[in-house]
Amino acid sequence: MTTSKHRKASAETAVRCAVITASDSRTVETDTSGAYILETLKRDGHTVASYEIVPDDYERIRKAIEAASAVADVILTSGGTGISQRDSTFEAIASMLEKTLPGFGEIFRNLSFEDIGPAAMLSRATAGVYRDTVIFSMPGSTAAVKLAMDRLILPELRHLVWELIRHRG
C-alpha cells in the first residue's frame, strides 16, 4: 500500500481519545483549553472516551494517564508543562513514555516562537507512546492548545494511531 493509500485508510477511522487537564485552579466551567480540545475532537469525528481535571500532582497525573490508556488510543493533556515548582505534567508523562516523539515538542516550540518569541522556550510540550497509546502533552494556555491541535495533532491523529495498530496480530 502506498503512503497516500495508508493516509486515506487511516483518515476514515474515528479515534478514541481521552482528555486530561492538569491544574490546581481550573474547573469544568473555566477549563477553556480542555473545552477546545473536546470541541475540536468531536468536530473532527473522534470519540471522547473520558475527560477529567486532575491537580498538577505527579502521582495524580500518572494515575490519570494509566486509567485513560485503558480506554483511549490517544491521550491529550493540557497544563503543567511550564517550569514552576507545581508544573509536574512533563515529569509524570516522560517517566511513562516507552517511545518519544521529539518532533512534536520541537515543532510546537518553533511555531510558538513565531507567535510569542523567546518565551516559547519555557514550554516543555512533549509527546510519545505508552502501552500502544499516543500521548500529547500541551501547555495550559488556550492559544497554545489551539496551535497544537489545529496545526500538529488533528492533521496526523488518525495516521499516528494507524501506525501503532497496523502490525498488531
Side-chain angles (χ1 to χ4, degrees), residues 141-155:
S141 87
T142 304
V145 165
K146 286 180 180 181
L147 173 73
M149 291 297 293
D150 297 344
R151 304 232 4 232
L152 297 172
I153 298 171
L154 286 175

Side-chain angles (χ1 to χ4, degrees), residues 1-11 159 162-163 166:
M1 194 180 267
T2 65
T3 301
S4 63
K5 287 183 184 174
H6 284 310
R7 289 183 185 262
K8 182 174 180 356
S10 64
H159 181 226
W162 180 83
E163 285 290 336
R166 71 185 178 128

Side-chain angles (χ1 to χ4, degrees), residues 37-48:
I37 296 168
L38 295 168
E39 172 190 317
T40 58
L41 289 171
K42 290 176 184 173
R43 183 181 69 222
D44 207 40
H46 301 295
T47 303
V48 176

Side-chain angles (χ1 to χ4, degrees), residues 53-118:
I53 299 172
V54 299
D56 199 344
D57 173 80
Y58 181 89
E59 287 302 326
R60 296 283 299 271
I61 293 166
R62 284 181 55 89
K63 287 178 183 172
I65 295 289
E66 181 77 27
S69 72
V71 298
D73 299 307
V74 175
I75 301 169
L76 301 127
T77 73
S78 66
T81 63
I83 61 169
S84 78
Q85 188 153 356
R86 285 293 295 163
D87 289 324
S88 57
T89 302
F90 176 85
E91 286 77 17
I93 291 174
S95 73
M96 299 175 85
L97 295 179
E98 297 156 358
K99 293 187 180 208
T100 61
L101 296 169
F104 171 73
E106 294 163 1
I107 296 169
F108 175 80
R109 283 180 285 281
N110 188 20
L111 293 171
S112 292
F113 180 80
E114 294 172 8
D115 291 341
I116 64 172

